[in-house]
Amino acid sequence: MPTRSTKRGAERTPLEADADVLVCGASFAGLAVARELADSGARVLIVDRYDVGERQTSACAAPTEWLQALDLEESIRQTFDTLVIHTPHASADMRLPWTFSTFDYRELCDLLFAQCDAEFETAKVEGRVRRSESVVRAPDGPIAVATDRGQVRASYVVDALGWRRVLGSKGFQPPDAPLSRGLEVHPHGSSADLEIWIDRAYVPAGYGWSFPAGEETRVGVGSFDPTFHVKEPTVRLAGDLERDAVRYQGNWIPHRLRPATEDGVFFTGDSAGHCLPLTAEGIRTALYFGMACGRELRSAFEGRISRDEALARYAAFSAAHDWKFRWMLRAQKTVPRIAPRLLGRAIDSMSSDRFVRWSFDHYLEIAHPRFAAGSRAPAPELSAA
């Protein structure tokens, strides 16, 4: 059975450990990596500053097929087959070709963790331990990572800690970075509609949202411009919807791919920029790239490929998606430049069933749930499909 160990206060004892695979980060991407390594015989250690499922930082919604493919249906709170898009001059109901579901963050993380056989420790990852240049490390030698409880060493290390890219060599700080910013409130109260606002009265470049999730509704504003503060428009949108601005959460959101490997470390999720521009959807991509990373790690641990081959294959897999991310980023930059009246007419024309099916099916293909099929099997040859 998986072991969870949250250390706080006097219980925050020194941590000195060796593992086969060290996964830094216990959210979507990190748990997806560990899930792929279940029953491999590898000692997998997950470390995170917070307990599994403790700190939600997103609106927690994903294509329902992804949640079903990973046996996460119990976490679903509400499912939608229609997206309502509002602009200052028009609103459109888009009947989706596939459904979208909001879910409970802690419950989903618990379900994912239950599918792993990894160990868990609460520890703040501080960075990689750099050896002196005079020390020559064997090609497959262990990598040491510093935490606030001591050093952890592993043959394979994954950074799934988010946009800060803690184990990387280059700084990445807002607002001088390709990051969007988002904030949302979680008022009590139900709703039947999944809604988006593309309205410069709320945010010049970005959008607002209302994502119902059973007994609560998640209302927020995201700005593609990291210098634009989103608290006031978030509160205003909640007020316009007659909702209380309570239970805040926010985060920085990457909107550009970064290298998926660096100096022997695997990066996945937000640490590799695996969040789609324009929509800021990062959950299914975190699962998708996390699973791809885990499959390469499994192949390496089981001796079918070397660590260097695993690094190269995973890096190539991530990079093969770059053109898709760049197209999404191009759209992200274009939408705020469209005149509001023209945008309203465009949204209205794009609400036809034929266009919605074509566009949303292509969008889902960027990280399709079919990728989850047979995930426990030995790693297949990965493609960008």
Side-chain angles (χ1 to χ4, degrees):
M1 293 294 292
T3 302
R4 286 170 66 169
S5 180
T6 301
K7 307 293 184 183
R8 289 189 173 88
E11 294 183 354
R12 206 166 181 82
T13 54
L15 174 64
E16 295 285 342
D18 292 291
D20 296 311
V21 181
L22 172 63
V23 179
C24 303
S27 193
F28 308 113
L31 293 172
V33 172
R35 180 183 183 275
E36 291 301 308
L37 290 161
D39 302 321
S40 68
R43 184 191 176 193
V44 180
L45 174 62
I46 305 172
V47 295
D48 197 289
R49 183 176 182 177
Y50 301 96
D51 196 3
V52 175
E54 179 180 349
R55 188 169 181 264
Q56 177 179 333
T57 59
S58 80
C60 289
T64 309
E65 289 181 61
W66 262 104
L67 304 179
Q68 294 170 335
L70 297 179
D71 298 321
L72 304 174
E73 297 100 319
E74 291 181 25
S75 68
I76 293 175
R77 291 296 176 265
Q78 205 162 337
T79 297
F80 307 88
D81 62 8
T82 301
L83 174 64
V84 182
I85 300 183
H86 303 284
T87 73
H89 300 285
S91 293
D93 292 3
M94 294 187 174
R95 182 82 174 183
L96 303 175
W98 38 268
T99 61
F100 209 74
S101 292
T102 51
F103 58 85
D104 182 84
Y105 177 70
R106 179 178 286 277
E107 189 169 351
L108 182 138
C109 289
D110 282 342
L111 289 169
L112 270 179
F113 186 73
Q115 297 177 34
C116 309
D117 53 16
E119 303 170 52
F120 174 78
E121 288 284 353
T122 304
K124 179 183 177 183
V125 176
E126 297 177 333
R128 181 167 175 175
V129 178
R130 299 286 177 179
R131 298 189 176 189
S132 65
E133 293 183 2
S134 61
V135 176
V136 178
R137 179 170 58 84
D140 292 321
I143 296 172
V145 172
T147 77
D148 63 346
R149 293 176 55 200
Q151 289 188 18
V152 181
R153 296 161 297 277
S155 298
Y156 307 94
V157 174
V158 178
D159 181 331
L161 291 165
W163 62 268
R164 289 182 176 84
R165 197 175 169 94
V166 176
L167 300 182
S169 60
K170 296 182 179 179
F172 198 65
Q173 292 295 325
D176 301 318
L179 296 168
S180 302
R181 68 192 304 167
L183 181 69
E184 70 178 12
V185 291
H186 290 193
H188 294 291
S190 61
S191 175
D193 295 326
L194 187 72
E195 299 178 272
I196 294 289
W197 283 263
I198 307 175
D199 189 338
R200 292 172 195 172
Y202 292 118
V203 56
Y207 61 92
W209 65 86
S210 175
F211 284 12
E215 297 179 355
E216 73 172 17
T217 300
R218 298 156 187 173
V219 179
V221 170
S223 173
F224 303 143
D225 176 2
T227 66
F228 182 83
H229 295 276
V230 293
K231 182 175 181 179
E232 187 277 330
T234 298
V235 172
R236 182 154 41 90
L237 177 58
D240 291 345
L241 297 175
E242 299 182 345
R243 303 284 186 180
D244 294 328
V246 295
R247 297 188 292 166
Y248 287 82
Q249 71 172 30
N251 201 12
W252 296 99
I253 306 163
H255 55 240
R256 185 176 300 166
L257 280 185
R258 306 187 73 192
T261 62
E262 181 186 337
D263 197 17
V265 175
F266 297 78
F267 294 83
T268 191
D270 283 1
S271 71
H274 290 150
C275 184
L276 294 172
L278 182 63
T279 63
E281 189 190 357
I283 295 170
R284 69 176 166 115
T285 47
L287 296 170
Y288 175 75
F289 286 102
M291 293 170 68
C293 180
R295 292 176 189 181
E296 297 297 355
L297 289 169
R298 186 176 189 126
S299 289
F301 176 77
E302 293 177 348
R304 286 179 277 126
I305 58 176
S306 68
R307 183 169 71 181
D308 285 346
E309 288 174 319
L311 287 161
R313 283 163 54 98
Y314 175 62
F317 177 82
S318 179
H321 294 73
D322 183 61
W323 69 272
K324 303 175 185 180
F325 279 70
R326 283 190 284 108
W327 269 104
M328 295 291 291
L329 182 58
R330 186 175 300 177
Q332 174 177 302
K333 293 177 178 178
T334 300
V335 170
R337 300 171 183 168
I338 301 174
R341 288 189 182 277
L342 181 59
L343 179 62
R345 290 197 294 269
I347 292 295
D348 184 61
S349 65
M350 289 188 295
S351 63
S352 69
D353 288 344
R354 182 176 181 180
F355 181 85
V356 170
R357 176 168 293 279
W358 175 85
S359 59
F360 276 82
D361 281 347
H362 276 75
Y363 177 66
L364 188 63
E365 283 290 337
I366 297 173
H368 200 281
R370 77 171 72 90
F371 189 75
S375 60
R376 295 289 180 86
E381 289 296 324
L382 300 178
S383 69

